[in-house]
Coordinates of all heavy atoms in Angstrom, one line a residue:
V1 N 158.1 -70.8 52.1 CA 159.0 -71.3 51.2 C 158.9 -70.5 49.9 O 157.9 -70.1 49.5 CB 158.6 -72.8 50.8 CG1 159.4 -73.4 49.8 CG2 158.6 -73.6 52.1
A2 N 160.1 -70.2 49.4 CA 160.2 -69.4 48.2 C 159.5 -70.0 47.0 O 159.3 -71.2 46.9 CB 161.7 -69.2 47.8
A3 N 159.0 -69.1 46.1 CA 158.3 -69.6 45.0 C 159.1 -70.6 44.2 O 160.3 -70.3 43.8 CB 157.9 -68.4 44.1
G4 N 158.6 -71.7 43.9 CA 159.3 -72.7 43.1 C 160.3 -73.6 43.8 O 160.9 -74.5 43.3
G5 N 160.5 -73.3 45.1 CA 161.5 -74.1 45.9 C 160.8 -75.0 46.9 O 159.8 -74.6 47.5
S6 N 161.3 -76.2 47.0 CA 160.8 -77.1 48.1 C 161.3 -76.6 49.4 O 162.3 -75.9 49.5 CB 161.2 -78.5 47.8 OG 162.6 -78.7 48.0
A7 N 160.7 -77.1 50.5 CA 161.2 -76.8 51.8 C 162.6 -77.2 52.0 O 163.4 -76.5 52.6 CB 160.3 -77.4 52.9
E8 N 163.0 -78.4 51.4 CA 164.3 -78.9 51.6 C 165.3 -78.0 50.9 O 166.4 -77.7 51.4 CB 164.4 -80.3 50.9 CG 163.6 -81.4 51.7 CD 162.1 -81.4 51.3 OE1 161.7 -80.6 50.4 OE2 161.4 -82.3 51.9
Q9 N 165.0 -77.5 49.7 CA 165.9 -76.6 49.0 C 166.0 -75.3 49.7 O 167.1 -74.7 49.8 CB 165.4 -76.4 47.6 CG 165.4 -77.6 46.7 CD 164.7 -77.5 45.4 OE1 163.6 -76.9 45.3 NE2 165.3 -77.9 44.3
V10 N 164.9 -74.7 50.2 CA 165.0 -73.5 50.8 C 165.8 -73.6 52.1 O 166.7 -72.7 52.4 CB 163.6 -72.9 51.1 CG1 163.6 -71.7 52.0 CG2 162.9 -72.6 49.8
V11 N 165.5 -74.6 52.9 CA 166.3 -74.8 54.2 C 167.8 -75.0 53.9 O 168.7 -74.4 54.5 CB 165.7 -75.9 55.0 CG1 166.6 -76.3 56.2 CG2 164.3 -75.6 55.5
G12 N 168.1 -75.8 52.8 CA 169.5 -76.0 52.4 C 170.2 -74.7 52.1 O 171.3 -74.5 52.4
G13 N 169.5 -73.9 51.3 CA 170.1 -72.6 50.9 C 170.3 -71.7 52.1 O 171.4 -71.0 52.2
I14 N 169.3 -71.6 52.9 CA 169.5 -70.7 54.1 C 170.6 -71.2 55.0 O 171.5 -70.4 55.4 CB 168.2 -70.6 54.9 CG1 167.1 -69.9 54.1 CG2 168.4 -70.0 56.3 CD1 165.7 -69.9 54.8
E15 N 170.6 -72.5 55.3 CA 171.7 -73.0 56.2 C 173.1 -73.0 55.6 O 174.0 -72.7 56.3 CB 171.3 -74.5 56.6 CG 170.2 -74.5 57.6 CD 170.0 -75.8 58.3 OE1 170.4 -76.8 57.8 OE2 169.3 -75.7 59.4
A16 N 173.2 -73.1 54.2 CA 174.5 -72.9 53.6 C 175.0 -71.5 53.8 O 176.1 -71.2 54.1 CB 174.3 -73.2 52.1
M17 N 174.1 -70.5 53.6 CA 174.5 -69.1 53.8 C 174.9 -68.8 55.2 O 175.9 -68.2 55.5 CB 173.3 -68.1 53.4 CG 173.0 -68.1 51.9 SD 174.4 -67.5 50.9 CE 174.5 -65.8 51.4
L18 N 174.1 -69.4 56.2 CA 174.5 -69.2 57.6 C 175.9 -69.8 57.8 O 176.7 -69.2 58.5 CB 173.4 -69.9 58.5 CG 172.0 -69.3 58.4 CD1 171.1 -70.1 59.3 CD2 172.0 -67.9 58.9
F19 N 176.1 -71.0 57.3 CA 177.4 -71.7 57.5 C 178.6 -70.8 57.0 O 179.6 -70.6 57.6 CB 177.4 -73.1 56.8 CG 178.8 -73.7 56.8 CD1 179.2 -74.3 58.0 CD2 179.5 -73.8 55.7 CE1 180.5 -74.9 58.0 CE2 180.8 -74.4 55.7 CZ 181.3 -75.0 56.9
V20 N 178.4 -70.3 55.7 CA 179.5 -69.6 55.1 C 179.6 -68.2 55.7 O 180.8 -67.7 55.9 CB 179.3 -69.4 53.6 CG1 180.2 -68.5 52.9 CG2 179.3 -70.8 52.9
C21 N 178.5 -67.5 56.1 CA 178.6 -66.1 56.5 C 178.9 -66.0 58.0 O 179.4 -64.9 58.4 CB 177.3 -65.5 56.2 SG 177.0 -65.3 54.4
T22 N 178.6 -66.9 58.8 CA 178.8 -66.7 60.3 C 180.2 -66.3 60.6 O 180.4 -65.4 61.4 CB 178.4 -68.0 61.1 OG1 177.0 -68.2 60.9 CG2 178.7 -67.9 62.5
P23 N 181.3 -67.0 60.1 CA 182.6 -66.5 60.4 C 183.0 -65.2 59.8 O 183.9 -64.5 60.2 CB 183.5 -67.7 59.9 CG 182.7 -68.6 59.2 CD 181.3 -68.2 59.3
I24 N 182.3 -64.8 58.7 CA 182.7 -63.6 58.0 C 182.0 -62.4 58.7 O 182.7 -61.3 58.9 CB 182.2 -63.7 56.5 CG1 183.0 -64.8 55.8 CG2 182.4 -62.3 55.8 CD1 182.5 -65.1 54.4
D25 N 180.8 -62.5 59.0 CA 180.0 -61.3 59.5 C 178.8 -61.9 60.3 O 177.7 -62.0 59.8 CB 179.6 -60.4 58.4 CG 178.8 -59.2 58.9 OD1 178.9 -58.9 60.1 OD2 178.2 -58.5 58.0
A26 N 179.1 -62.2 61.6 CA 178.1 -62.8 62.4 C 176.8 -62.0 62.5 O 175.7 -62.6 62.6 CB 178.6 -63.1 63.8
K27 N 176.9 -60.7 62.4 CA 175.7 -59.8 62.5 C 174.8 -60.1 61.3 O 173.6 -60.0 61.4 CB 176.1 -58.4 62.6 CG 176.7 -57.9 63.9 CD 176.8 -56.4 64.0 CE 177.6 -55.9 62.8 NZ 177.9 -54.5 62.8
S28 N 175.4 -60.3 60.2 CA 174.6 -60.5 59.0 C 173.7 -61.7 58.9 O 172.8 -61.9 58.1 CB 175.5 -60.4 57.7 OG 176.2 -61.5 57.6
V29 N 174.0 -62.7 59.8 CA 173.3 -64.0 59.7 C 172.0 -64.0 60.6 O 171.2 -64.8 60.4 CB 174.2 -65.2 60.1 CG1 175.4 -65.3 59.2 CG2 174.7 -65.1 61.5
K30 N 171.9 -63.0 61.5 CA 170.7 -63.0 62.3 C 169.4 -63.0 61.6 O 168.5 -63.8 61.9 CB 170.8 -61.8 63.3 CG 169.7 -61.8 64.3 CD 170.1 -61.1 65.6 CE 169.0 -61.1 66.6 NZ 168.5 -62.4 67.0
P31 N 169.3 -62.1 60.5 CA 168.0 -62.2 59.8 C 167.8 -63.6 59.2 O 166.6 -64.1 59.1 CB 168.2 -61.1 58.7 CG 169.2 -60.2 59.2 CD 170.1 -61.1 60.1
G32 N 168.8 -64.2 58.7 CA 168.7 -65.6 58.1 C 168.2 -66.6 59.1 O 167.4 -67.4 58.9
Q33 N 168.8 -66.5 60.3 CA 168.4 -67.4 61.4 C 166.9 -67.2 61.8 O 166.2 -68.1 62.0 CB 169.3 -67.1 62.6 CG 170.7 -67.6 62.5 CD 171.6 -67.1 63.6 OE1 171.4 -66.0 64.1 NE2 172.7 -67.8 63.9
E34 N 166.5 -65.9 61.8 CA 165.1 -65.6 62.1 C 164.2 -66.1 61.0 O 163.1 -66.6 61.3 CB 164.9 -64.1 62.3 CG 165.6 -63.6 63.5 CD 165.7 -62.1 63.6 OE1 165.3 -61.4 62.7 OE2 166.1 -61.6 64.7
I35 N 164.6 -66.0 59.7 CA 163.8 -66.5 58.6 C 163.6 -68.0 58.8 O 162.5 -68.5 58.6 CB 164.4 -66.1 57.3 CG1 164.3 -64.6 57.0 CG2 163.8 -66.9 56.1 CD1 165.2 -64.2 55.8
L36 N 164.7 -68.7 59.0 CA 164.6 -70.1 59.2 C 163.8 -70.5 60.4 O 162.9 -71.4 60.2 CB 166.1 -70.7 59.4 CG 166.2 -72.2 59.5 CD1 165.6 -72.9 58.3 CD2 167.6 -72.6 59.7
Q37 N 163.9 -69.8 61.5 CA 163.1 -70.2 62.7 C 161.6 -69.9 62.4 O 160.8 -70.8 62.8 CB 163.6 -69.3 63.9 CG 162.9 -69.7 65.2 CD 163.1 -71.1 65.6 OE1 164.2 -71.6 65.4 NE2 162.1 -71.7 66.1
R38 N 161.3 -68.8 61.7 CA 159.9 -68.6 61.4 C 159.3 -69.7 60.5 O 158.2 -70.1 60.7 CB 159.7 -67.2 60.8 CG 159.6 -66.1 61.8 CD 159.0 -64.8 61.1 NE 159.7 -64.4 59.9 CZ 160.8 -63.6 59.9 NH1 161.3 -63.2 61.0 NH2 161.4 -63.3 58.7
A39 N 160.1 -70.1 59.5 CA 159.6 -71.1 58.6 C 159.4 -72.4 59.3 O 158.4 -73.1 59.1 CB 160.7 -71.3 57.5
V40 N 160.3 -72.8 60.2 CA 160.2 -74.0 61.0 C 158.9 -74.0 61.8 O 158.1 -74.9 61.8 CB 161.4 -74.2 61.9 CG1 161.2 -75.3 62.9 CG2 162.6 -74.6 61.0
E41 N 158.7 -72.8 62.5 CA 157.5 -72.7 63.3 C 156.2 -72.6 62.5 O 155.2 -73.3 62.9 CB 157.6 -71.5 64.2 CG 158.7 -71.6 65.3 CD 159.0 -70.3 66.0 OE1 158.4 -69.3 65.7 OE2 159.9 -70.3 66.8
Q42 N 156.1 -71.8 61.5 CA 154.9 -71.6 60.8 C 154.5 -72.8 59.9 O 153.3 -73.1 59.8 CB 155.0 -70.4 59.8 CG 155.1 -69.1 60.6 CD 155.4 -67.9 59.6 OE1 155.7 -68.1 58.5 NE2 155.3 -66.7 60.2
R43 N 155.5 -73.5 59.4 CA 155.2 -74.7 58.5 C 155.4 -76.0 59.2 O 155.3 -77.0 58.6 CB 156.1 -74.6 57.3 CG 155.8 -73.3 56.5 CD 156.7 -73.2 55.3 NE 156.7 -71.9 54.7 CZ 155.7 -71.3 54.0 NH1 154.6 -72.0 53.8 NH2 155.9 -70.1 53.5
K44 N 155.8 -75.9 60.5 CA 156.0 -77.1 61.3 C 157.0 -78.1 60.6 O 156.7 -79.2 60.4 CB 154.7 -77.8 61.6 CG 153.8 -76.9 62.5 CD 152.4 -77.6 62.7 CE 151.5 -76.8 63.5 NZ 151.4 -75.4 63.5
L45 N 158.1 -77.5 60.2 CA 159.1 -78.3 59.5 C 159.9 -79.2 60.5 O 160.2 -78.7 61.6 CB 160.1 -77.4 58.8 CG 159.5 -76.4 57.7 CD1 160.6 -75.5 57.1 CD2 158.8 -77.2 56.6
D46 N 160.2 -80.3 60.0 CA 161.1 -81.3 60.8 C 162.5 -81.2 60.3 O 162.9 -81.8 59.3 CB 160.5 -82.7 60.6 CG 161.3 -83.7 61.4 OD1 162.3 -83.4 62.0 OD2 160.8 -84.9 61.3
L47 N 163.3 -80.3 60.9 CA 164.6 -80.0 60.3 C 165.5 -81.3 60.3 O 166.2 -81.5 59.3 CB 165.3 -78.9 61.2 CG 164.9 -77.5 60.9 CD1 165.7 -76.5 61.7 CD2 165.0 -77.1 59.4
P48 N 165.5 -82.1 61.3 CA 166.4 -83.3 61.2 C 166.0 -84.2 60.0 O 166.9 -84.7 59.3 CB 166.1 -84.0 62.5 CG 165.8 -83.0 63.5 CD 165.0 -82.0 62.7
A49 N 164.7 -84.3 59.7 CA 164.2 -85.1 58.6 C 164.6 -84.4 57.3 O 165.1 -85.0 56.3 CB 162.7 -85.3 58.6
I50 N 164.4 -83.1 57.2 CA 164.8 -82.3 56.0 C 166.3 -82.4 55.7 O 166.6 -82.6 54.5 CB 164.4 -80.8 56.2 CG1 162.8 -80.7 56.0 CG2 165.1 -79.9 55.2 CD1 162.3 -79.3 56.3
R51 N 167.1 -82.4 56.7 CA 168.5 -82.4 56.5 C 169.0 -83.8 55.9 O 170.1 -83.9 55.4 CB 169.3 -82.1 57.8 CG 169.1 -80.7 58.2 CD 169.8 -80.4 59.5 NE 169.7 -79.0 59.9 CZ 169.3 -78.5 61.0 NH1 169.0 -79.4 62.0 NH2 169.2 -77.3 61.3
K52 N 168.2 -84.8 56.0 CA 168.5 -86.1 55.5 C 168.2 -86.3 54.0 O 168.5 -87.3 53.4 CB 167.9 -87.2 56.3 CG 168.4 -87.3 57.8 CD 167.6 -88.3 58.5 CE 168.1 -88.3 60.0 NZ 167.3 -89.3 60.8
T53 N 167.4 -85.3 53.5 CA 167.0 -85.5 52.1 C 168.0 -85.2 51.1 O 168.9 -84.4 51.3 CB 165.7 -84.6 51.8 OG1 166.1 -83.3 51.9 CG2 164.6 -85.0 52.8
E54 N 167.9 -85.8 49.9 CA 168.8 -85.5 48.8 C 168.7 -84.0 48.3 O 169.7 -83.4 48.0 CB 168.6 -86.4 47.7 CG 169.6 -86.3 46.5 CD 171.0 -86.7 47.0 OE1 171.2 -87.5 47.9 OE2 171.9 -86.1 46.4
A55 N 167.5 -83.5 48.3 CA 167.2 -82.1 47.8 C 168.0 -81.1 48.8 O 168.6 -80.2 48.3 CB 165.7 -81.8 47.8
Y56 N 167.9 -81.4 50.1 CA 168.6 -80.5 51.0 C 170.1 -80.6 50.8 O 170.8 -79.5 50.6 CB 168.3 -80.9 52.5 CG 169.1 -80.2 53.5 CD1 168.8 -79.0 54.0 CD2 170.4 -80.8 53.9 CE1 169.6 -78.4 54.9 CE2 171.2 -80.1 54.8 CZ 170.8 -78.9 55.3 OH 171.6 -78.3 56.2
R57 N 170.6 -81.8 50.7 CA 172.1 -82.0 50.6 C 172.6 -81.4 49.3 O 173.7 -80.7 49.3 CB 172.5 -83.4 50.7 CG 172.4 -84.0 52.1 CD 173.1 -85.3 52.3 NE 172.5 -86.3 51.4 CZ 171.4 -87.1 51.7 NH1 170.9 -87.0 52.9 NH2 171.0 -88.0 50.9
T58 N 171.9 -81.6 48.2 CA 172.3 -81.0 46.9 C 172.3 -79.5 47.0 O 173.3 -78.9 46.6 CB 171.3 -81.5 45.8 OG1 171.4 -82.9 45.8 CG2 171.7 -80.9 44.5
T59 N 171.3 -78.9 47.5 CA 171.2 -77.4 47.6 C 172.3 -76.9 48.5 O 173.0 -75.9 48.2 CB 169.8 -77.0 48.0 OG1 168.8 -77.5 47.1 CG2 169.7 -75.5 48.1
Y60 N 172.4 -77.5 49.7 CA 173.3 -77.0 50.7 C 174.7 -77.1 50.1 O 175.5 -76.1 50.2 CB 173.2 -77.9 52.0 CG 174.2 -77.5 53.1 CD1 173.8 -76.5 54.0 CD2 175.4 -78.1 53.1 CE1 174.7 -76.2 55.0 CE2 176.3 -77.7 54.1 CZ 176.0 -76.8 55.1 OH 176.9 -76.4 56.0
N61 N 175.1 -78.2 49.6 CA 176.5 -78.4 49.1 C 176.8 -77.5 47.9 O 177.9 -76.9 47.9 CB 176.7 -79.9 48.7 CG 176.8 -80.8 49.9 OD1 177.1 -80.4 51.0 ND2 176.5 -82.0 49.7
S62 N 175.9 -77.3 47.0 CA 176.2 -76.5 45.9 C 176.3 -75.0 46.3 O 177.1 -74.3 45.8 CB 175.1 -76.7 44.8 OG 173.8 -76.3 45.2
E63 N 175.4 -74.6 47.2 CA 175.5 -73.2 47.7 C 176.7 -72.9 48.5 O 177.4 -71.9 48.3 CB 174.2 -72.8 48.5 CG 174.1 -71.4 48.8 CD 174.0 -70.5 47.6 OE1 173.7 -70.9 46.4 OE2 174.2 -69.2 47.7
V64 N 177.1 -73.8 49.3 CA 178.4 -73.6 50.1 C 179.5 -73.6 49.1 O 180.4 -72.7 49.2 CB 178.6 -74.8 51.1 CG1 180.0 -74.8 51.7 CG2 177.6 -74.6 52.3
N65 N 179.6 -74.5 48.2 CA 180.7 -74.5 47.2 C 180.7 -73.2 46.4 O 181.8 -72.6 46.1 CB 180.6 -75.7 46.3 CG 181.0 -77.0 47.0 OD1 181.7 -77.0 48.0 ND2 180.4 -78.1 46.6
R66 N 179.5 -72.7 46.0 CA 179.5 -71.5 45.2 C 180.0 -70.3 46.0 O 180.8 -69.5 45.5 CB 178.0 -71.2 44.7 CG 177.8 -70.0 43.9 CD 176.4 -69.7 43.6 NE 175.7 -69.2 44.8 CZ 175.8 -67.9 45.2 NH1 176.6 -67.0 44.6 NH2 175.2 -67.5 46.3
M67 N 179.5 -70.2 47.2 CA 180.0 -69.1 48.1 C 181.5 -69.2 48.4 O 182.1 -68.1 48.3 CB 179.2 -69.1 49.4 CG 177.7 -68.7 49.2 SD 177.6 -66.9 48.8 CE 178.2 -66.1 50.3
L68 N 182.0 -70.3 48.6 CA 183.4 -70.5 49.0 C 184.3 -70.2 47.8 O 185.5 -69.9 47.9 CB 183.7 -71.8 49.6 CG 183.1 -72.0 51.0 CD1 183.3 -73.5 51.5 CD2 183.5 -71.0 52.0
S69 N 183.7 -70.4 46.5 CA 184.5 -70.1 45.3 C 184.6 -68.6 45.0 O 185.5 -68.3 44.2 CB 183.9 -70.9 44.2 OG 182.7 -70.3 43.7
L70 N 183.8 -67.8 45.7 CA 183.9 -66.4 45.4 C 185.1 -65.8 46.1 O 185.5 -66.2 47.1 CB 182.6 -65.7 46.0 CG 181.3 -66.0 45.4 CD1 180.2 -65.3 46.3 CD2 181.2 -65.5 44.0
P71 N 185.6 -64.7 45.5 CA 186.7 -64.0 46.2 C 186.2 -63.5 47.5 O 185.0 -63.2 47.7 CB 187.0 -62.8 45.2 CG 186.5 -63.3 43.9 CD 185.3 -64.2 44.2
Q72 N 187.1 -63.3 48.5 CA 186.7 -62.9 49.8 C 185.8 -61.7 49.8 O 184.8 -61.6 50.5 CB 187.9 -62.7 50.7 CG 187.7 -62.3 52.1 CD 187.0 -63.4 52.9 OE1 187.3 -64.6 52.7 NE2 186.1 -63.1 53.8
R73 N 186.2 -60.7 49.1 CA 185.4 -59.4 49.0 C 184.0 -59.6 48.6 O 183.0 -59.1 49.1 CB 186.1 -58.4 48.1 CG 185.5 -57.0 48.2 CD 186.2 -56.0 47.4 NE 185.8 -56.1 46.0 CZ 186.5 -56.0 44.9 NH1 187.8 -55.7 45.0 NH2 186.0 -56.2 43.8
D74 N 183.8 -60.5 47.5 CA 182.5 -60.8 47.0 C 181.7 -61.6 48.0 O 180.5 -61.4 48.1 CB 182.6 -61.5 45.6 CG 183.2 -60.6 44.5 OD1 183.3 -59.4 44.7 OD2 183.6 -61.2 43.5
R75 N 182.4 -62.5 48.6 CA 181.7 -63.4 49.6 C 181.2 -62.5 50.8 O 180.1 -62.7 51.2 CB 182.7 -64.4 50.2 CG 182.0 -65.5 50.9 CD 183.0 -66.6 51.4 NE 184.0 -66.8 50.4 CZ 185.2 -67.2 50.7 NH1 185.6 -67.4 51.9 NH2 186.2 -67.5 49.8
T76 N 182.0 -61.6 51.2 CA 181.6 -60.7 52.3 C 180.4 -59.8 51.9 O 179.4 -59.7 52.6 CB 182.7 -59.7 52.7 OG1 183.8 -60.5 53.2 CG2 182.3 -58.8 53.8
A77 N 180.4 -59.3 50.7 CA 179.3 -58.5 50.2 C 178.1 -59.4 50.0 O 176.9 -58.9 50.4 CB 179.7 -57.9 48.8
A78 N 178.2 -60.6 49.6 CA 177.0 -61.5 49.5 C 176.4 -61.8 50.8 O 175.2 -61.8 51.0 CB 177.4 -62.8 48.8
C79 N 177.3 -61.9 51.8 CA 176.8 -62.2 53.2 C 176.0 -61.0 53.7 O 175.0 -61.1 54.4 CB 177.9 -62.6 54.1 SG 178.6 -64.2 53.8
Q80 N 176.5 -59.8 53.5 CA 175.9 -58.6 54.0 C 174.6 -58.2 53.3 O 173.8 -57.4 53.8 CB 176.9 -57.4 53.9 CG 178.1 -57.7 54.9 CD 179.2 -56.7 54.7 OE1 179.3 -56.0 53.7 NE2 180.0 -56.6 55.7
T81 N 174.4 -58.8 52.1 CA 173.1 -58.5 51.4 C 172.2 -59.7 51.1 O 171.3 -59.6 50.4 CB 173.5 -57.8 50.0 OG1 174.3 -58.8 49.2 CG2 174.3 -56.5 50.2
A82 N 172.5 -60.8 51.8 CA 171.8 -62.0 51.5 C 170.3 -61.9 51.9 O 169.5 -62.5 51.2 CB 172.4 -63.2 52.3
W83 N 170.0 -61.2 52.9 CA 168.6 -61.2 53.4 C 168.0 -59.9 53.1 O 167.0 -59.5 53.4 CB 168.6 -61.5 54.9 CG 169.6 -62.5 55.3 CD1 170.8 -62.3 56.0 CD2 169.6 -63.9 55.0 NE1 171.5 -63.5 56.1 CE2 170.8 -64.5 55.5 CE3 168.7 -64.7 54.3 CZ2 171.1 -65.8 55.4 CZ3 169.1 -66.1 54.2 CH2 170.2 -66.6 54.7

């Protein structure tokens, strides 16, 4: 988990990036999927429970909205450099 971030916030941020970036550049999301999978395995995270938390939803929704508000070129660049 990133410094200062709860597991819920970190998972929400990663999954938001995966959601936004998959249709733009599917190759760029593989590292993010691997990061999420390692975190789940190493920290024994319960993803279904995490996804029900307010911290997850707040982070996920704000990150998706932030990314979708970017111009297409900036969104593509963010996806390619996210990890």
Side-chain angles (χ1 to χ4, degrees):
V1 176
S6 70
E8 293 85 0
Q9 292 170 317
V10 172
V11 170
I14 291 171
E15 289 193 338
M17 291 299 291
L18 296 175
F19 172 77
V20 171
C21 294
T22 297
I24 294 172
D25 182 11
K27 287 189 305 185
S28 70
V29 300
K30 186 152 180 57
Q33 291 168 329
E34 291 169 354
I35 290 168
L36 182 59
Q37 185 60 38
R38 275 195 310 273
V40 167
E41 291 170 0
Q42 290 174 352
R43 301 178 194 286
K44 297 177 180 32
L45 300 177
D46 180 355
L47 283 182
I50 286 174
R51 290 178 180 132
K52 292 178 184 176
T53 66
E54 186 63 29
Y56 170 89
R57 286 191 302 270
T58 299
T59 302
Y60 179 88
N61 290 334
S62 65
E63 188 62 16
V64 166
N65 289 333
R66 183 188 73 79
M67 288 291 293
L68 292 177
S69 71
L70 294 174
Q72 182 66 35
R73 188 178 82 216
D74 294 344
R75 195 177 323 148
T76 300
C79 289
Q80 292 171 342
T81 60
W83 322 109

